[in-house]
Amino acid sequence: MSDQESTPSPARRRLSTKETAELLGVKPETVYAYVSRGQLSSRREPGNRGSTFDAGEVEALARRNRRESGGTPGPGGELSVRTRITLIEDDRYYYRGVDATELARRHSYEEVTEWLWTGRLRPGAAFTAPEASVAVARRAADALPEHTGPTDRLRVAAVAAAAADPLRFDLSEDAVLGTARILIPTLVAALPPLRPGRGDQGPIAHRLWARLSHLDPDEASLAALDTALALLVDHDLAASTLAVRVAASARAHVYAAVSAGLGVLEGPLHGAAGGLAHRLILEVLERGSAGPVVADELREGRRVPGLGHRLYRGEDPRARVLFGLLEEIPHAAPALAAARDIVATTARHTPLHANVDLALAVLTASCGMRSSASETIFAVARTAGWIAHALEEYGERPLRMRPSGRYAGPQPPQPLPRPQQQ
């Protein structure tokens, strides 16, 4: 008799709340949420203090959840993961069902972040970090070579802050949110200030400005930076966000999940796009016209940075909002004109709209920032989105982000390899 034949039918036994939660890969309170939504039925057995659940019903729900939410192929064969965080549809995008561009226009980065994390708006939300956490992160980041880029500094700061936090393995929602509100200001504080004595107080945008520009900020420029952060908080399952969800699926703590995102962000096909667009803007300003600059890009077989986006057929809504704010900043006018020249010149070859990278490049180039500033803005902003996705993933079945490999190598059995002669 096989093991399957000797096992009692699961439909005939009752499971405890703990067993049900483990089988579904969720917290016990989520089990009762399933009951309240009518997805599970429960009953109390005589002599049993807690509720019990039909094993067959639980197994059916587990199978349904796996089909709907874990590692399923999308319409184009790509990986598709169910999420309640961001929807991109018809050239617009939404945070928890609310137009993201309207949120970013009306609310601060911190307020938008709280909405993304909790689904609740906290007016005047502010993030602060204990001095001990900041000191550890700064010491670690300051030990790096002088030429180290900002993303390396952020990643090292995250690792250092994790090592100093004995509660990092607590993955309960309240604990992760508490860590999140400390981690973001800690990361910003670990970046070296360009304006000594400033940049450790106030909103995140104010603190970040002091680490990106030597110039004194005006109100319009700070508003543009704050809005850019809010616009970039999340953008569905970008490569770095997927890495974060894989880490969270394996129950890595939130510092480690953010570190995974920072590692992917540094790739030239992800976080570096804004820096390339920044250099393009400066070159157009130097040469006086986009024509020869675009020609050089095309001659070298390179894609003109800052144009087009695979998720938008029309204009990138993030770019539209940011360009509108930049038009209110007088000193941004030359860089804005250069960006428009790039779009118009390239349109003769391929009609592509400006994306958020080009808008960020106008902001950074016109505010005395380095080309790496776009990547820094992106990393700080997206840390909030990564944490939202980690929180969501902690509520799912563990290790669901584990696709199967499709082996395409030599068929076994193969002979043992022979040592190669030197």
Side-chain angles (χ1 to χ4, degrees):
M1 183 179 287
S2 69
D3 289 340
Q4 185 177 6
E5 291 170 334
S6 64
T7 303
S9 169
R12 295 180 182 175
R13 61 182 293 259
R14 307 290 296 179
L15 300 177
S16 68
T17 302
K18 183 174 183 293
E19 290 172 320
T20 301
E22 289 175 351
L23 186 58
L24 293 172
V26 298
K27 300 172 183 176
E29 51 264 34
T30 306
V31 173
Y32 292 105
Y34 284 134
V35 174
S36 67
R37 293 196 294 262
Q39 294 174 279
L40 276 181
S41 58
S42 67
R43 73 171 186 239
R44 290 184 179 273
E45 301 288 348
N48 194 326
R49 293 174 59 191
S51 298
T52 63
F53 303 84
D54 181 270
E57 197 176 65
V58 174
E59 286 280 6
L61 179 60
R63 286 195 298 272
R64 188 161 66 249
N65 284 352
R66 285 194 290 271
R67 284 197 305 270
E68 291 178 354
S69 65
T72 56
E78 72 278 8
L79 185 69
S80 176
V81 177
R82 186 176 62 182
T83 176
R84 295 178 178 86
I85 298 173
T86 299
L87 169 68
I88 300 175
E89 185 176 73
D90 297 329
D91 285 347
R92 299 174 72 181
Y93 74 121
Y94 306 84
Y95 293 155
R96 296 191 180 275
V98 178
D99 188 298
T101 59
E102 288 302 311
L103 274 174
R105 280 192 182 106
R106 299 169 185 267
H107 296 283
S108 70
Y109 165 68
E110 289 90 335
E111 290 170 344
V112 172
T113 291
E114 287 286 348
W115 170 255
L116 205 71
W117 288 343
T118 67
R120 297 185 296 275
L121 200 62
R122 290 179 56 216
F127 300 156
T128 57
E131 186 53 42
S133 174
V134 170
V136 167
R138 277 179 174 165
R139 282 198 301 271
D142 288 346
L144 294 169
E146 190 176 343
H147 65 270
T148 300
T151 306
D152 279 327
R153 283 184 168 273
L154 293 173
R155 191 163 58 244
V156 167
V159 172
D165 183 358
L167 303 180
R168 63 188 178 278
F169 296 106
D170 184 348
L171 302 185
S172 65
E173 183 175 347
D174 286 345
V176 172
L177 285 172
T179 297
R181 295 178 184 121
I182 289 172
L183 178 55
I184 290 176
T186 297
L187 294 180
V188 173
L191 297 169
L194 300 181
R195 304 165 71 238
R198 302 188 186 182
D200 287 328
Q201 303 295 327
I204 292 295
H206 291 220
R207 297 181 228 178
L208 189 57
W209 180 282
R211 288 158 171 83
L212 297 177
S213 177
H214 292 278
L215 304 177
D216 287 324
D218 55 81
E219 188 175 333
S221 298
L222 278 173
L225 177 58
D226 185 62
T227 303
L229 289 167
L231 290 167
L232 292 167
V233 161
D234 191 53
H235 207 235
D236 196 33
L237 284 184
S240 55
T241 306
L242 180 58
V244 168
R245 292 199 76 128
V246 171
S249 177
R251 297 304 183 256
H253 54 71
V254 71
Y255 298 95
V258 167
S259 295
L262 288 167
V264 175
L265 181 68
E266 202 170 22
L269 300 182
H270 193 6
L276 296 175
H278 176 108
R279 289 190 284 271
L280 192 73
I281 291 281
L282 293 184
E283 190 172 356
V284 171
L285 289 172
E286 182 182 345
R287 298 176 70 172
S289 168
V293 179
V294 170
D296 287 346
E297 294 292 313
L298 298 177
R299 184 182 300 115
E300 296 295 328
R302 293 190 295 263
R303 185 170 173 267
V304 179
L307 301 177
H309 196 289
R310 64 184 294 269
L311 297 180
Y312 299 115
R313 289 189 297 272
E315 188 177 18
D316 183 336
R318 302 168 298 175
R320 182 178 65 250
V321 171
L322 200 47
F323 278 133
L325 291 174
L326 290 165
E327 287 171 359
E328 304 298 319
I329 304 174
H331 60 78
L336 266 172
R340 293 192 184 103
D341 194 7
I342 290 167
V343 173
T345 301
T346 310
R348 286 182 253 156
H349 167 69
T350 307
L352 293 173
H353 294 278
N355 62 34
V356 73
D357 295 316
L358 192 64
L360 266 183
V362 172
L363 173 65
T364 57
S366 61
C367 292
M369 300 177 186
R370 299 171 182 168
S371 62
S372 60
S374 292
E375 188 173 335
T376 307
I377 295 167
F378 191 100
V380 171
R382 193 57 57 87
T383 296
W386 293 335
I387 292 169
H389 281 272
L391 273 166
E392 190 174 63
E393 194 61 41
Y394 290 146
E396 298 286 355
R397 175 173 53 86
L399 292 175
R400 71 181 185 130
M401 307 291 285
R402 171 60 170 89
S404 298
R406 190 166 58 187
Y407 181 72
Q411 289 301 308
Q414 295 286 323
L416 287 171
R418 298 187 177 210
Q420 298 291 317
Q421 298 294 327
Q422 296 297 327

